Amino acid sequence: MKIVRRIGVPPSARGSASGANCPDLFELSDGNFAVIGTEATEALERELPADAARADYERIVIVSRETLIRAKADIPDA
């Protein structure tokens, strides 16, 4: 599995001075997506709705609204 492309704009285009520690989205060679975000599993797990669950190997991460909105145009419809 490899990163194929960034989804949206780089952190520097969203105001990050260093571009080194900001949320980011990537499309992978298998068609899935990878997310860099702030780990928030412990804080948010109790807030999950009754029909949502997380496997032991999964984490809840926060991605800024701006990151997702700026990526919207690059996310395929299918």
Side-chain angles (χ1 to χ4, degrees), residues 7-69:
I7 301 296
V9 298
S12 59
R14 290 182 269 119
S16 172
S18 69
N21 58 352
C22 290
D24 224 335
L25 303 169
F26 301 96
E27 186 171 0
L28 303 177
S29 58
D30 66 359
N32 286 315
F33 296 90
V35 176
I36 297 173
T38 303
E39 207 285 330
T41 304
E42 187 175 324
L44 293 176
E45 188 163 35
R46 292 180 298 278
E47 300 295 323
L48 289 173
D51 62 350
R54 174 188 73 78
D56 287 343
Y57 58 85
E58 295 175 321
R59 300 292 175 260
I60 299 170
V61 298
I62 297 172
V63 177
S64 71
R65 180 179 178 83
E66 182 181 6
T67 300
L68 215 49
I69 289 171

